[in-house]
Amino acid sequence: ATAFDEDYDDVPFFSIWDTESYRQISSKSTTKSDCANDLTYDPSTDQIFGIFYNISSQKFEFGTLNKNTGRQEKIADIPVSVCMRPLGIASTENGDIYVIGFGSNNNDYDLYYSTYLFKADPQSGAFTVVGPTGIDCSTFLQSACFDFKSGKLFWAGLQRDSGVIGGVARLFEVNVATGAATAVCDLPDDMDITGIYSRTTSQSDDAPGKATDITFTAGASAKSGELSFNLPSDNIAGTSLSGTIAYTVTYDGKSASG
């Protein structure tokens, strides 16, 4: 997991955490323009995409987050002619990127808080409108993610309400074909939520779980050594496996199976 935090001197830090032990692995200073409004992981390319606000240019940007440096690698400015302000970003398991945000017609006060679903090109950063969500939202931090098992897009939004400062926190399901959002449930304490994600996979629950205790001992040459690991005893759902598990290890175009 990654996290941004600020010290008492108002300097942001990029930190990496182990989500199993909740131990901080590393932390380094970065800039405020590298602090994302929301992030999403694309498993098809092993990249982290995000929506950022550049303080110098005063523009929202679409880009990737470098996992080693914590710095943003800009792909493109988000055009205000299409999206005035992005709120949440989510990637499918196949690398399709969607963004929820305010539309270009927000110079009309009656439509100022209207939100839309956009599809973003991960190469060029171009935004295309999918359709209106039908939800009026506040401008506070929000977030979105895909549930890979069902393929559904979920959005932790803040729906405008005259009686609640900042809006009512709700989880919405968003139709990726039309952009229409449907409320699933209210979220506690009307919290601003960013960085939501799903730990689901599109694989069957009967598929083997992850290998464990993976270690590599280097050999005499740069491309030699011994790899050891334990095969899983449970499937993805946590039920004990039975029978024989086959495995394949691939490196530098070569593979070994067992």
Side-chain angles (χ1 to χ4, degrees):
T2 60
F4 288 96
D5 196 5
E6 292 184 2
D7 65 9
Y8 292 107
D9 295 322
D10 206 29
V11 176
F13 280 80
F14 171 72
S15 303
I16 299 177
W17 294 75
D18 184 324
T19 56
E20 298 296 332
S21 65
Y22 294 100
R23 179 177 61 88
Q24 187 181 87
I25 299 172
S26 65
S27 182
K28 59 189 69 176
S29 61
T30 183
T31 73
K32 288 188 176 182
S33 294
D34 295 313
C35 298
N37 285 41
D38 197 24
L39 295 169
T40 187
Y41 175 68
D42 172 14
S44 71
T45 62
D46 192 34
Q47 289 181 292
I48 299 174
F49 288 89
I51 45 180
F52 306 82
Y53 183 73
N54 188 307
I55 295 175
S56 298
S57 67
Q58 296 186 343
K59 292 181 179 179
F60 285 100
E61 298 175 344
F62 173 75
T64 58
L65 180 71
N66 187 305
K67 292 179 285 186
N68 296 316
T69 64
R71 303 300 298 272
Q72 182 216 163
E73 296 178 354
K74 177 183 171 181
I75 295 174
D77 290 331
I78 297 176
V80 295
S81 60
V82 180
C83 176
M84 289 289 292
R85 182 189 181 104
L87 297 171
I89 184 170
S91 172
T92 67
E93 198 168 29
N94 296 323
D96 293 327
I97 308 294
Y98 290 86
V99 174
I100 296 169
F102 297 117
S104 62
N105 59 356
N106 289 344
N107 57 343
D108 185 334
Y109 183 79
D110 291 336
L111 301 174
Y112 188 85
Y113 297 102
S114 300
T115 54
Y116 294 78
L117 178 68
F118 305 89
K119 191 170 184 180
D121 186 315
Q123 302 299 320
S124 67
F127 274 43
T128 56
V129 180
V130 176
T133 67
I135 305 298
D136 288 355
C137 281
S138 74
T139 60
F140 288 40
L141 289 175
Q142 299 171 50
S143 189
C145 76
F146 274 92
D147 170 52
F148 294 149
K149 179 70 70 178
S150 65
K152 294 179 179 180
L153 172 59
F154 291 97
W155 165 32
L158 288 166
Q159 188 169 12
R160 288 193 74 215
D161 187 304
S162 59
V164 180
I165 298 175
V168 176
R170 290 192 170 103
L171 183 68
F172 298 94
E173 179 185 337
V174 183
N175 186 316
V176 296
T178 66
T182 304
V184 177
C185 64
D186 287 358
L187 297 173
D189 302 321
D190 295 322
M191 296 184 294
D192 301 359
I193 298 176
T194 187
I196 65 169
Y197 68 99
S198 171
R199 301 184 68 175
T200 59
T201 171
S202 62
Q203 294 175 315
S204 166
D205 288 344
D206 295 328
K210 295 180 180 179
T212 58
D213 299 324
I214 302 172
T215 59
F216 178 76
T217 304
S221 67
K223 292 187 177 182
S224 67
E226 181 178 285
L227 176 70
S228 65
F229 54 88
N230 291 328
L231 292 173
S233 57
D234 295 336
N235 61 22
I236 290 177
T239 304
S240 296
L241 293 168
S242 61
T244 303
I245 301 177
Y247 68 87
T248 300
V249 177
T250 302
Y251 174 74
D252 198 23
K254 300 178 181 180
S255 61
S257 302

